[in-house]
Amino acid sequence: MANVTSFYLSRVIGNKVYSEDKKVLGRLVDLIVDAKNIRPKVIAAKVKSGKNVQIVDFSFFIIYKEKGQYVIETRNLKPIDVQKEDTIMLVKHILDKQIVDMNGRKVVRVNDIRLAILSTGVYVIAVDIGLEGLLRRLGLAKPLKKVLKPLGKSIPSRLILWDDVEPLASPRSDLKLSTTYSKLSTLHPSDLADIIEELDKKTQAYVFSTLDEEKAADVLEELDVEAQRNVLESLPVEKAADLLEKMPADEVADILDEIKEERAEELLNEMEKEASEEVKELMEYPENTVGSIMTTDFIAFKTHFTVEQTIEELRRLKPEPDEIYYLYVVDNEERLCGVVSLRDLVISEPQTPLYEIMSRNVVYVKDMDNVNSLVSIISKYSLLAVPVVDDDKRLIGVVIINDIVYELLKVRKKLV
């Protein structure tokens, strides 16, 4: 009898469970862990004997090796009532299932699970997503290692610590965790969007529905068109409309252009009137015009505003970073008069009016200009954003460099 300090799940699942006097009590079908701990602890075992399957207390179990084989022994096959919430069945919920590799920021498939035996119990420490884990379950890992060793080769092994993974539940799964996707919520929206895009449609919708509204709105912006369509069609109209209201109008217009017309109309009708009308105006612009990609979320100040008033207003508004690349100055008729940089704003005296420090040579485009005109303007003047005016030179929007790059990428995809 040899003590074991760690083992793979595949080595024990399906093995016989013995009593202390070596009587066969059944076969191990699954291990159940308490997911509330940082390191999930095995609290129960699922044992099958004939047609009878029962959940029993794992604290009476010991695992050791005899003649190179894993032996599972228990002093007492005591039934235990396991709560469904915050418990994970390793075979049913994790093995061969998709999980999120938080470090790699991607969805991976679990081929095996590593557990450690400590004085306080048995704990899950890592998942194996490599080829070795798959071969181990097929019984081919050891023979292949012997063949490869003389050649100086090895089987790729890939273990990810449990701390660095997030299990994925789905509508078809009975996995219920009180801290569902707590790790996912810490990811950048673009990383989270990449992960959601890798999931099947039902799981996409399920994972997305667990995000808070602010996070969900940010992630929705980053999803590809197909995933956006799927998520919006799966959400209740009220919730989908609430999310869209939290997003920039130009992003909403782009998304609604890609979904079914009936659904888009339904969502617009559910949105608040002001937000809905703003989106409708943008959707009316012909494709490839500046107006079709501009954002109406911008900040402009009147010419008579002082530096102090402007800074106070910025503090109150707390604008997004891309809304203050440049501060635009307008007259009482909302006509574009000039632009002020943050540098000039900071170094000027508090009572200085904006018209004294603004640059009057503003580069701008009209809403009906072709998108291609933006490329030459941005590259020529090294701009991060370009103001958009109507025929009367009233400031009606801004085009951010990110949107121009995105538009160019869309055109390039169509050509490819």
Side-chain angles (χ1 to χ4, degrees):
M1 174 177 170
N3 290 331
V4 175
T5 56
S6 66
F7 63 93
Y8 284 100
L9 184 67
S10 63
R11 294 295 197 200
V12 298
I13 292 299
N15 288 10
K16 293 175 182 177
V17 177
Y18 294 95
S19 64
E20 288 183 301
D21 56 1
K22 303 304 179 187
K23 287 182 180 178
V24 177
L25 302 175
R27 288 186 180 273
L28 183 65
V29 176
D30 211 335
L31 292 178
I32 301 168
V33 300
D34 182 353
K36 291 194 295 292
N37 297 323
I38 296 175
R39 292 263 192 275
K41 181 180 180 181
V42 180
I43 57 172
K46 190 175 182 180
V47 178
K48 183 176 182 181
S49 178
K51 293 183 179 180
N52 181 43
V53 178
Q54 57 181 332
I55 307 294
V56 297
D57 191 339
F58 190 77
S59 62
F60 297 105
F61 279 60
I62 59 170
I63 296 174
Y64 58 90
K65 266 188 172 184
E66 196 169 78
K67 297 179 180 178
Q69 299 299 314
Y70 286 92
V71 178
I72 308 168
E73 192 176 290
T74 180
R75 303 193 312 274
N76 188 353
L77 214 57
K78 180 185 177 184
I80 184 174
D81 184 24
V82 175
Q83 298 294 323
K84 282 194 173 182
E85 186 170 294
D86 290 323
T87 57
I88 299 175
M89 301 180 79
L90 295 183
V91 174
K92 184 177 182 180
H93 296 140
I94 305 297
L95 198 63
D96 292 326
K97 302 298 187 299
Q98 289 182 317
I99 61 168
V100 178
D101 171 5
M102 297 297 294
N103 284 338
R105 288 162 171 72
K106 60 183 178 180
V107 177
V108 293
R109 181 180 181 275
V110 177
N111 293 328
D112 212 342
I113 301 169
R114 185 83 168 176
L115 298 100
I117 301 175
L118 306 177
S119 59
T120 53
V122 177
Y123 299 84
V124 175
I125 56 171
V127 295
D128 190 338
I129 65 167
L131 177 62
E132 185 178 1
L134 201 56
L135 294 173
R136 187 185 304 113
R137 290 171 59 190
L138 296 171
L140 299 174
K142 281 189 176 180
L144 195 55
K145 280 182 178 179
K146 288 180 181 179
V147 173
L148 294 175
K149 191 174 182 180
L151 303 174
K153 304 288 184 182
S154 60
I155 304 171
S157 179
R158 179 82 195 280
L159 289 175
I160 306 176
L161 292 176
W162 183 264
D163 300 15
D164 300 326
V165 303
E166 181 85 283
L168 286 172
S170 77
R172 298 182 296 273
S173 169
D174 60 355
L175 177 59
K176 292 179 174 61
L177 303 177
S178 59
T179 55
T180 306
Y181 308 132
S182 57
K183 293 178 187 174
L184 284 185
S185 63
T186 64
L187 291 177
H188 188 279
S190 61
D191 290 325
L192 188 44
D194 288 342
I195 288 167
I196 290 175
E197 286 166 9
E198 292 184 56
L199 306 174
D200 63 78
K201 286 186 176 182
K202 288 186 178 179
T203 308
Q204 275 184 354
Y206 184 76
V207 172
F208 190 86
S209 69
T210 65
L211 304 175
D212 64 64
E213 278 195 356
E214 295 292 340
K215 192 75 168 185
D218 291 339
V219 172
L220 188 60
E221 286 184 48
E222 303 291 341
L223 289 173
D224 63 26
V225 172
E226 187 178 347
Q228 284 177 340
R229 188 186 302 122
N230 176 53
V231 164
L232 283 180
E233 289 177 355
S234 67
L235 290 174
V237 177
E238 298 81 6
K239 184 170 182 178
D242 287 343
L243 281 181
L244 295 176
E245 286 170 6
K246 293 183 180 295
M247 296 169 58
D250 60 317
E251 296 286 352
V252 178
D254 288 342
I255 291 171
L256 295 185
D257 272 334
E258 299 292 344
I259 67 175
K260 293 177 183 176
E261 192 174 334
E262 300 81 8
R263 180 67 169 176
E265 193 64 36
E266 197 177 9
L267 290 169
L268 285 168
N269 290 337
E270 187 65 32
M271 291 170 67
E272 290 182 4
K273 187 177 180 182
E274 186 180 346
S276 177
E277 288 178 352
E278 196 174 341
V279 173
K280 286 178 181 176
E281 285 178 14
L282 292 174
M283 291 178 73
E284 287 172 2
Y285 279 105
E287 193 176 2
N288 296 325
T289 60
V290 169
S292 68
I293 67 167
M294 73 178 180
T295 177
T296 51
D297 293 327
F298 63 89
I299 298 174
F301 298 94
K302 294 292 194 288
T303 53
H304 63 269
F305 259 51
T306 64
V307 166
E308 185 177 32
Q309 287 174 318
T310 304
I311 291 174
E312 283 299 319
E313 185 66 4
L314 287 173
R315 285 180 182 144
R316 185 185 70 81
L317 293 172
K318 297 179 176 60
E320 295 294 323
D322 57 7
E323 290 177 1
I324 52 171
Y325 285 144
Y326 310 104
L327 303 179
Y328 299 107
V329 185
V330 296
D331 62 18
N332 290 331
E333 303 297 323
E334 302 299 326
R335 289 189 293 262
L336 182 63
C337 300
V339 62
V340 175
S341 69
L342 283 176
R343 177 188 176 278
D344 289 339
L345 194 71
V346 170
I347 65 174
S348 298
E349 292 298 321
Q351 299 309 313
T352 306
L354 294 183
Y355 66 78
E356 288 188 9
I357 62 171
M358 71 182 187
S359 169
R360 288 173 169 78
N361 298 319
V362 189
V363 178
Y364 61 86
V365 290
K366 290 187 175 180
D367 56 339
M368 294 304 291
D369 289 349
N370 192 284
V371 169
N372 292 332
S373 64
L374 288 166
V375 180
S376 57
I377 288 173
I378 278 187
S379 59
K380 181 177 180 179
Y381 297 101
S382 301
L383 297 173
L384 296 173
V386 181
V388 182
V389 300
D390 61 14
D391 289 335
D392 296 318
K393 208 185 174 184
R394 284 192 294 264
L395 182 62
I396 58 174
V398 174
V399 178
I400 309 298
I401 190 169
N402 299 14
D403 294 324
I404 299 171
V405 172
Y406 177 69
E407 192 65 24
L408 291 173
L409 288 173
K410 279 205 306 186
V411 172
R412 185 176 179 182
K413 282 182 182 178
K414 287 179 182 178
L415 294 174
V416 174

